[in-house]
Amino acid sequence: MKTEIIPAAQIQQALEILQNGGILAFPTDTVYGLGALAFDNAAIESIYIAKDRPIEKAIPILIGDLSDLDQVADNIPSMALRFAARFWPGPLTCIVPKKQTLPLAVSATSTVAVRIPNHPDARALLRAAGPMAVTSANISGQPSPSTADEVYTQLNGRIPLILDGGKTPGGIPSTLVDCTGSEPIILRAGPISLDELLSAMK
């Protein structure tokens, strides 16, 4: 497989690849992500293969706008909606009850992790393509890439396309919060603290 790098603004080629069951890499507000359409089970399985990722690890969903949340989640907790209104787009990933129509390759459990990235190229792609299952564009266990060239170094020959949006802002991964209980539970610390989450609930 030949891996091509094109400017991130040229999303038509990216959409064709996604709609034909393919996967591709693109910039987000944290690192470069590797994604497929959220409801394409075979394409999502291709992400695990390209990354050498353990199959039991769930893959988060990225969406372009808050109005897309009900496409991938059911019975959305009011807590999650408050957090979304306050912190999206941004470095907060919310675990919510998943839509049963989501494929098992996304999550074998009853929940799914969802976020809106604060990056113009990522949001343009997500708005055009719809919700996507996205994880970091690296070989599992290797450094997460912040440039298209770093993606190419790791995934050349494994994926068809890399959208080059320059160096990503990077930094630490998003805060991961479980919104399915009566209180927020932080499962991975990140830029948004528990105090900030609790303040948003008031």
Side-chain angles (χ1 to χ4, degrees), residues 3-34:
T3 300
E4 188 178 358
I5 301 176
I6 65 171
Q10 298 177 11
I11 63 170
Q12 190 55 45
Q13 188 175 342
L15 293 174
E16 289 171 8
I17 287 172
L18 292 169
Q19 286 157 4
N20 286 303
I23 62 176
L24 54 85
F26 62 97
T28 76
D29 50 348
T30 53
V31 298
Y32 271 73
L34 179 62

PDB file of all heavy atoms in Angstrom, residues 3-34:
ATOM      1  N   THR A   3       1.342   5.100   0.859  1.00  0.00           N
ATOM      2  CA  THR A   3       0.808   6.099   1.776  1.00  0.00           C
ATOM      3  C   THR A   3       1.070   7.485   1.217  1.00  0.00           C
ATOM      4  O   THR A   3       2.216   7.850   0.975  1.00  0.00           O
ATOM      5  CB  THR A   3       1.453   5.965   3.171  1.00  0.00           C
ATOM      6  OG1 THR A   3       1.169   4.665   3.695  1.00  0.00           O
ATOM      7  CG2 THR A   3       0.899   7.016   4.124  1.00  0.00           C
ATOM      8  N   GLU A   4      -0.001   8.249   1.002  1.00  0.00           N
ATOM      9  CA  GLU A   4       0.102   9.587   0.419  1.00  0.00           C
ATOM     10  C   GLU A   4      -0.111  10.637   1.504  1.00  0.00           C
ATOM     11  O   GLU A   4      -0.920  10.453   2.418  1.00  0.00           O
ATOM     12  CB  GLU A   4      -0.962   9.726  -0.676  1.00  0.00           C
ATOM     13  CG  GLU A   4      -0.850  10.977  -1.501  1.00  0.00           C
ATOM     14  CD  GLU A   4      -1.900  11.059  -2.611  1.00  0.00           C
ATOM     15  OE1 GLU A   4      -2.698  10.105  -2.758  1.00  0.00           O
ATOM     16  OE2 GLU A   4      -1.925  12.079  -3.309  1.00  0.00           O
ATOM     17  N   ILE A   5       0.618  11.749   1.406  1.00  0.00           N
ATOM     18  CA  ILE A   5       0.429  12.895   2.300  1.00  0.00           C
ATOM     19  C   ILE A   5      -0.098  14.055   1.473  1.00  0.00           C
ATOM     20  O   ILE A   5       0.503  14.427   0.461  1.00  0.00           O
ATOM     21  CB  ILE A   5       1.743  13.306   2.995  1.00  0.00           C
ATOM     22  CG1 ILE A   5       2.327  12.152   3.817  1.00  0.00           C
ATOM     23  CG2 ILE A   5       1.515  14.528   3.895  1.00  0.00           C
ATOM     24  CD1 ILE A   5       3.673  12.466   4.460  1.00  0.00           C
ATOM     25  N   ILE A   6      -1.236  14.631   1.887  1.00  0.00           N
ATOM     26  CA  ILE A   6      -1.800  15.785   1.189  1.00  0.00           C
ATOM     27  C   ILE A   6      -2.199  16.842   2.220  1.00  0.00           C
ATOM     28  O   ILE A   6      -2.339  16.540   3.417  1.00  0.00           O
ATOM     29  CB  ILE A   6      -3.031  15.403   0.332  1.00  0.00           C
ATOM     30  CG1 ILE A   6      -4.194  14.913   1.217  1.00  0.00           C
ATOM     31  CG2 ILE A   6      -2.661  14.359  -0.710  1.00  0.00           C
ATOM     32  CD1 ILE A   6      -5.505  14.721   0.437  1.00  0.00           C
ATOM     33  N   PRO A   7      -2.385  18.107   1.799  1.00  0.00           N
ATOM     34  CA  PRO A   7      -2.806  19.153   2.744  1.00  0.00           C
ATOM     35  C   PRO A   7      -4.149  18.816   3.402  1.00  0.00           C
ATOM     36  O   PRO A   7      -5.054  18.297   2.739  1.00  0.00           O
ATOM     37  CB  PRO A   7      -2.916  20.402   1.865  1.00  0.00           C
ATOM     38  CG  PRO A   7      -2.016  20.129   0.702  1.00  0.00           C
ATOM     39  CD  PRO A   7      -2.116  18.654   0.462  1.00  0.00           C
ATOM     40  N   ALA A   8      -4.256  19.130   4.680  1.00  0.00           N
ATOM     41  CA  ALA A   8      -5.453  18.766   5.449  1.00  0.00           C
ATOM     42  C   ALA A   8      -6.715  19.425   4.917  1.00  0.00           C
ATOM     43  O   ALA A   8      -7.820  18.917   5.121  1.00  0.00           O
ATOM     44  CB  ALA A   8      -5.253  19.128   6.922  1.00  0.00           C
ATOM     45  N   ALA A   9      -6.566  20.544   4.217  1.00  0.00           N
ATOM     46  CA  ALA A   9      -7.750  21.240   3.696  1.00  0.00           C
ATOM     47  C   ALA A   9      -8.396  20.475   2.540  1.00  0.00           C
ATOM     48  O   ALA A   9      -9.566  20.701   2.221  1.00  0.00           O
ATOM     49  CB  ALA A   9      -7.369  22.643   3.245  1.00  0.00           C
ATOM     50  N   GLN A  10      -7.667  19.557   1.922  1.00  0.00           N
ATOM     51  CA  GLN A  10      -8.195  18.816   0.766  1.00  0.00           C
ATOM     52  C   GLN A  10      -8.924  17.550   1.241  1.00  0.00           C
ATOM     53  O   GLN A  10      -8.400  16.445   1.136  1.00  0.00           O
ATOM     54  CB  GLN A  10      -7.053  18.464  -0.191  1.00  0.00           C
ATOM     55  CG  GLN A  10      -6.351  19.678  -0.776  1.00  0.00           C
ATOM     56  CD  GLN A  10      -5.178  19.304  -1.670  1.00  0.00           C
ATOM     57  OE1 GLN A  10      -4.980  18.152  -2.029  1.00  0.00           O
ATOM     58  NE2 GLN A  10      -4.381  20.298  -2.016  1.00  0.00           N
ATOM     59  N   ILE A  11     -10.150  17.751   1.740  1.00  0.00           N
ATOM     60  CA  ILE A  11     -10.805  16.615   2.399  1.00  0.00           C
ATOM     61  C   ILE A  11     -11.598  15.723   1.450  1.00  0.00           C
ATOM     62  O   ILE A  11     -12.044  14.651   1.860  1.00  0.00           O
ATOM     63  CB  ILE A  11     -11.720  17.072   3.559  1.00  0.00           C
ATOM     64  CG1 ILE A  11     -12.871  17.952   3.048  1.00  0.00           C
ATOM     65  CG2 ILE A  11     -10.924  17.781   4.630  1.00  0.00           C
ATOM     66  CD1 ILE A  11     -13.921  18.218   4.112  1.00  0.00           C
ATOM     67  N   GLN A  12     -11.759  16.133   0.183  1.00  0.00           N
ATOM     68  CA  GLN A  12     -12.567  15.311  -0.718  1.00  0.00           C
ATOM     69  C   GLN A  12     -11.981  13.913  -0.875  1.00  0.00           C
ATOM     70  O   GLN A  12     -12.702  12.907  -0.837  1.00  0.00           O
ATOM     71  CB  GLN A  12     -12.709  15.987  -2.083  1.00  0.00           C
ATOM     72  CG  GLN A  12     -13.734  15.311  -2.985  1.00  0.00           C
ATOM     73  CD  GLN A  12     -15.113  15.191  -2.333  1.00  0.00           C
ATOM     74  OE1 GLN A  12     -15.601  16.149  -1.737  1.00  0.00           O
ATOM     75  NE2 GLN A  12     -15.720  14.020  -2.406  1.00  0.00           N
ATOM     76  N   GLN A  13     -10.656  13.839  -1.051  1.00  0.00           N
ATOM     77  CA  GLN A  13      -9.992  12.536  -1.184  1.00  0.00           C
ATOM     78  C   GLN A  13     -10.161  11.721   0.101  1.00  0.00           C
ATOM     79  O   GLN A  13     -10.377  10.514   0.068  1.00  0.00           O
ATOM     80  CB  GLN A  13      -8.521  12.731  -1.507  1.00  0.00           C
ATOM     81  CG  GLN A  13      -7.779  11.436  -1.846  1.00  0.00           C
ATOM     82  CD  GLN A  13      -6.342  11.703  -2.283  1.00  0.00           C
ATOM     83  OE1 GLN A  13      -5.990  12.819  -2.647  1.00  0.00           O
ATOM     84  NE2 GLN A  13      -5.514  10.678  -2.240  1.00  0.00           N
ATOM     85  N   ALA A  14     -10.079  12.418   1.233  1.00  0.00           N
ATOM     86  CA  ALA A  14     -10.249  11.750   2.524  1.00  0.00           C
ATOM     87  C   ALA A  14     -11.649  11.160   2.648  1.00  0.00           C
ATOM     88  O   ALA A  14     -11.827  10.018   3.101  1.00  0.00           O
ATOM     89  CB  ALA A  14      -9.992  12.739   3.658  1.00  0.00           C
ATOM     90  N   LEU A  15     -12.660  11.923   2.236  1.00  0.00           N
ATOM     91  CA  LEU A  15     -14.037  11.440   2.325  1.00  0.00           C
ATOM     92  C   LEU A  15     -14.254  10.212   1.450  1.00  0.00           C
ATOM     93  O   LEU A  15     -14.941   9.270   1.854  1.00  0.00           O
ATOM     94  CB  LEU A  15     -15.008  12.553   1.927  1.00  0.00           C
ATOM     95  CG  LEU A  15     -15.080  13.764   2.863  1.00  0.00           C
ATOM     96  CD1 LEU A  15     -15.965  14.849   2.275  1.00  0.00           C
ATOM     97  CD2 LEU A  15     -15.577  13.351   4.244  1.00  0.00           C
ATOM     98  N   GLU A  16     -13.646  10.217   0.274  1.00  0.00           N
ATOM     99  CA  GLU A  16     -13.791   9.059  -0.618  1.00  0.00           C
ATOM    100  C   GLU A  16     -13.193   7.804   0.013  1.00  0.00           C
ATOM    101  O   GLU A  16     -13.773   6.711  -0.066  1.00  0.00           O
ATOM    102  CB  GLU A  16     -13.124   9.362  -1.966  1.00  0.00           C
ATOM    103  CG  GLU A  16     -13.888  10.379  -2.796  1.00  0.00           C
ATOM    104  CD  GLU A  16     -13.120  10.830  -4.027  1.00  0.00           C
ATOM    105  OE1 GLU A  16     -12.054  10.235  -4.313  1.00  0.00           O
ATOM    106  OE2 GLU A  16     -13.583  11.780  -4.693  1.00  0.00           O
ATOM    107  N   ILE A  17     -12.038   7.952   0.644  1.00  0.00           N
ATOM    108  CA  ILE A  17     -11.400   6.812   1.308  1.00  0.00           C
ATOM    109  C   ILE A  17     -12.281   6.297   2.447  1.00  0.00           C
ATOM    110  O   ILE A  17     -12.534   5.092   2.571  1.00  0.00           O
ATOM    111  CB  ILE A  17     -10.006   7.202   1.836  1.00  0.00           C
ATOM    112  CG1 ILE A  17      -9.031   7.331   0.654  1.00  0.00           C
ATOM    113  CG2 ILE A  17      -9.478   6.188   2.852  1.00  0.00           C
ATOM    114  CD1 ILE A  17      -7.683   7.898   1.023  1.00  0.00           C
ATOM    115  N   LEU A  18     -12.795   7.207   3.262  1.00  0.00           N
ATOM    116  CA  LEU A  18     -13.634   6.808   4.399  1.00  0.00           C
ATOM    117  C   LEU A  18     -14.910   6.116   3.923  1.00  0.00           C
ATOM    118  O   LEU A  18     -15.308   5.082   4.467  1.00  0.00           O
ATOM    119  CB  LEU A  18     -13.983   8.029   5.250  1.00  0.00           C
ATOM    120  CG  LEU A  18     -12.823   8.675   6.018  1.00  0.00           C
ATOM    121  CD1 LEU A  18     -13.247  10.014   6.606  1.00  0.00           C
ATOM    122  CD2 LEU A  18     -12.313   7.749   7.122  1.00  0.00           C
ATOM    123  N   GLN A  19     -15.541   6.686   2.905  1.00  0.00           N
ATOM    124  CA  GLN A  19     -16.824   6.142   2.438  1.00  0.00           C
ATOM    125  C   GLN A  19     -16.652   4.801   1.722  1.00  0.00           C
ATOM    126  O   GLN A  19     -17.614   4.054   1.565  1.00  0.00           O
ATOM    127  CB  GLN A  19     -17.505   7.176   1.539  1.00  0.00           C
ATOM    128  CG  GLN A  19     -18.072   8.346   2.352  1.00  0.00           C
ATOM    129  CD  GLN A  19     -18.244   9.629   1.544  1.00  0.00           C
ATOM    130  OE1 GLN A  19     -18.013   9.652   0.345  1.00  0.00           O
ATOM    131  NE2 GLN A  19     -18.641  10.697   2.227  1.00  0.00           N
ATOM    132  N   ASN A  20     -15.411   4.498   1.329  1.00  0.00           N
ATOM    133  CA  ASN A  20     -15.120   3.205   0.711  1.00  0.00           C
ATOM    134  C   ASN A  20     -14.491   2.222   1.705  1.00  0.00           C
ATOM    135  O   ASN A  20     -13.859   1.248   1.299  1.00  0.00           O
ATOM    136  CB  ASN A  20     -14.210   3.391  -0.507  1.00  0.00           C
ATOM    137  CG  ASN A  20     -14.960   3.979  -1.695  1.00  0.00           C
ATOM    138  OD1 ASN A  20     -15.951   3.415  -2.145  1.00  0.00           O
ATOM    139  ND2 ASN A  20     -14.514   5.113  -2.185  1.00  0.00           N
ATOM    140  N   GLY A  21     -14.686   2.500   3.004  1.00  0.00           N
ATOM    141  CA  GLY A  21     -14.232   1.563   4.027  1.00  0.00           C
ATOM    142  C   GLY A  21     -12.771   1.676   4.411  1.00  0.00           C
ATOM    143  O   GLY A  21     -12.211   0.763   5.011  1.00  0.00           O
ATOM    144  N   GLY A  22     -12.164   2.827   4.099  1.00  0.00           N
ATOM    145  CA  GLY A  22     -10.750   3.017   4.416  1.00  0.00           C
ATOM    146  C   GLY A  22     -10.517   3.762   5.717  1.00  0.00           C
ATOM    147  O   GLY A  22     -11.454   4.213   6.384  1.00  0.00           O
ATOM    148  N   ILE A  23      -9.243   3.890   6.074  1.00  0.00           N
ATOM    149  CA  ILE A  23      -8.829   4.624   7.267  1.00  0.00           C
ATOM    150  C   ILE A  23      -7.789   5.661   6.854  1.00  0.00           C
ATOM    151  O   ILE A  23      -7.164   5.550   5.793  1.00  0.00           O
ATOM    152  CB  ILE A  23      -8.250   3.689   8.353  1.00  0.00           C
ATOM    153  CG1 ILE A  23      -6.989   2.963   7.846  1.00  0.00           C
ATOM    154  CG2 ILE A  23      -9.301   2.678   8.790  1.00  0.00           C
ATOM    155  CD1 ILE A  23      -6.321   2.089   8.909  1.00  0.00           C
ATOM    156  N   LEU A  24      -7.607   6.684   7.691  1.00  0.00           N
ATOM    157  CA  LEU A  24      -6.627   7.721   7.380  1.00  0.00           C
ATOM    158  C   LEU A  24      -6.210   8.447   8.651  1.00  0.00           C
ATOM    159  O   LEU A  24      -6.862   8.347   9.689  1.00  0.00           O
ATOM    160  CB  LEU A  24      -7.201   8.705   6.357  1.00  0.00           C
ATOM    161  CG  LEU A  24      -8.540   9.367   6.681  1.00  0.00           C
ATOM    162  CD1 LEU A  24      -8.370  10.614   7.544  1.00  0.00           C
ATOM    163  CD2 LEU A  24      -9.266   9.742   5.402  1.00  0.00           C
ATOM    164  N   ALA A  25      -5.114   9.195   8.539  1.00  0.00           N
ATOM    165  CA  ALA A  25      -4.592   9.969   9.663  1.00  0.00           C
ATOM    166  C   ALA A  25      -4.837  11.450   9.422  1.00  0.00           C
ATOM    167  O   ALA A  25      -4.791  11.919   8.275  1.00  0.00           O
ATOM    168  CB  ALA A  25      -3.108   9.700   9.844  1.00  0.00           C
ATOM    169  N   PHE A  26      -5.097  12.182  10.512  1.00  0.00           N
ATOM    170  CA  PHE A  26      -5.358  13.619  10.409  1.00  0.00           C
ATOM    171  C   PHE A  26      -5.006  14.305  11.727  1.00  0.00           C
ATOM    172  O   PHE A  26      -4.950  13.663  12.776  1.00  0.00           O
ATOM    173  CB  PHE A  26      -6.819  13.881  10.025  1.00  0.00           C
ATOM    174  CG  PHE A  26      -7.831  13.390  11.030  1.00  0.00           C
ATOM    175  CD1 PHE A  26      -8.373  14.239  11.984  1.00  0.00           C
ATOM    176  CD2 PHE A  26      -8.255  12.062  11.016  1.00  0.00           C
ATOM    177  CE1 PHE A  26      -9.320  13.787  12.899  1.00  0.00           C
ATOM    178  CE2 PHE A  26      -9.201  11.597  11.933  1.00  0.00           C
ATOM    179  CZ  PHE A  26      -9.719  12.466  12.872  1.00  0.00           C
ATOM    180  N   PRO A  27      -4.772  15.624  11.701  1.00  0.00           N
ATOM    181  CA  PRO A  27      -4.376  16.323  12.926  1.00  0.00           C
ATOM    182  C   PRO A  27      -5.564  16.598  13.847  1.00  0.00           C
ATOM    183  O   PRO A  27      -6.682  16.838  13.383  1.00  0.00           O
ATOM    184  CB  PRO A  27      -3.795  17.641  12.394  1.00  0.00           C
ATOM    185  CG  PRO A  27      -4.526  17.868  11.100  1.00  0.00           C
ATOM    186  CD  PRO A  27      -4.781  16.499  10.523  1.00  0.00           C
ATOM    187  N   THR A  28      -5.315  16.550  15.154  1.00  0.00           N
ATOM    188  CA  THR A  28      -6.306  16.984  16.144  1.00  0.00           C
ATOM    189  C   THR A  28      -5.627  18.001  17.064  1.00  0.00           C
ATOM    190  O   THR A  28      -4.482  18.376  16.849  1.00  0.00           O
ATOM    191  CB  THR A  28      -6.862  15.817  16.986  1.00  0.00           C
ATOM    192  OG1 THR A  28      -5.882  15.423  17.954  1.00  0.00           O
ATOM    193  CG2 THR A  28      -7.238  14.620  16.108  1.00  0.00           C
ATOM    194  N   ASP A  29      -6.336  18.429  18.102  1.00  0.00           N
ATOM    195  CA  ASP A  29      -5.764  19.407  19.019  1.00  0.00           C
ATOM    196  C   ASP A  29      -4.751  18.796  19.984  1.00  0.00           C
ATOM    197  O   ASP A  29      -4.085  19.528  20.715  1.00  0.00           O
ATOM    198  CB  ASP A  29      -6.868  20.131  19.792  1.00  0.00           C
ATOM    199  CG  ASP A  29      -7.864  19.181  20.435  1.00  0.00           C
ATOM    200  OD1 ASP A  29      -7.836  17.976  20.111  1.00  0.00           O
ATOM    201  OD2 ASP A  29      -8.680  19.629  21.257  1.00  0.00           O
ATOM    202  N   THR A  30      -4.652  17.480  20.011  1.00  0.00           N
ATOM    203  CA  THR A  30      -3.645  16.851  20.878  1.00  0.00           C
ATOM    204  C   THR A  30      -2.527  16.261  20.028  1.00  0.00           C
ATOM    205  O   THR A  30      -1.422  16.785  19.997  1.00  0.00           O
ATOM    206  CB  THR A  30      -4.280  15.771  21.779  1.00  0.00           C
ATOM    207  OG1 THR A  30      -5.022  14.850  20.960  1.00  0.00           O
ATOM    208  CG2 THR A  30      -5.208  16.394  22.808  1.00  0.00           C
ATOM    209  N   VAL A  31      -2.797  15.187  19.315  1.00  0.00           N
ATOM    210  CA  VAL A  31      -1.814  14.553  18.432  1.00  0.00           C
ATOM    211  C   VAL A  31      -2.509  14.179  17.119  1.00  0.00           C
ATOM    212  O   VAL A  31      -3.702  14.431  16.949  1.00  0.00           O
ATOM    213  CB  VAL A  31      -1.215  13.280  19.080  1.00  0.00           C
ATOM    214  CG1 VAL A  31      -0.473  13.630  20.364  1.00  0.00           C
ATOM    215  CG2 VAL A  31      -2.306  12.238  19.362  1.00  0.00           C
ATOM    216  N   TYR A  32      -1.788  13.594  16.181  1.00  0.00           N
ATOM    217  CA  TYR A  32      -2.429  13.083  14.970  1.00  0.00           C
ATOM    218  C   TYR A  32      -3.239  11.840  15.313  1.00  0.00           C
ATOM    219  O   TYR A  32      -2.799  10.992  16.098  1.00  0.00           O
ATOM    220  CB  TYR A  32      -1.383  12.762  13.892  1.00  0.00           C
ATOM    221  CG  TYR A  32      -1.074  13.943  13.000  1.00  0.00           C
ATOM    222  CD1 TYR A  32      -0.318  15.005  13.478  1.00  0.00           C
ATOM    223  CD2 TYR A  32      -1.573  14.012  11.706  1.00  0.00           C
ATOM    224  CE1 TYR A  32      -0.048  16.111  12.683  1.00  0.00           C
ATOM    225  CE2 TYR A  32      -1.311  15.120  10.892  1.00  0.00           C
ATOM    226  CZ  TYR A  32      -0.547  16.163  11.394  1.00  0.00           C
ATOM    227  OH  TYR A  32      -0.297  17.258  10.592  1.00  0.00           O
ATOM    228  N   GLY A  33      -4.444  11.768  14.742  1.00  0.00           N
ATOM    229  CA  GLY A  33      -5.319  10.627  14.989  1.00  0.00           C
ATOM    230  C   GLY A  33      -5.417   9.740  13.762  1.00  0.00           C
ATOM    231  O   GLY A  33      -5.198  10.184  12.630  1.00  0.00           O
ATOM    232  N   LEU A  34      -5.750   8.487  14.002  1.00  0.00           N
ATOM    233  CA  LEU A  34      -6.008   7.516  12.936  1.00  0.00           C
ATOM    234  C   LEU A  34      -7.468   7.122  13.048  1.00  0.00           C
ATOM    235  O   LEU A  34      -7.901   6.636  14.104  1.00  0.00           O
ATOM    236  CB  LEU A  34      -5.100   6.297  13.108  1.00  0.00           C
ATOM    237  CG  LEU A  34      -5.260   5.160  12.089  1.00  0.00           C
ATOM    238  CD1 LEU A  34      -4.944   5.649  10.681  1.00  0.00           C
ATOM    239  CD2 LEU A  34      -4.354   3.996  12.462  1.00  0.00           C
TER     240      LEU A  34
END
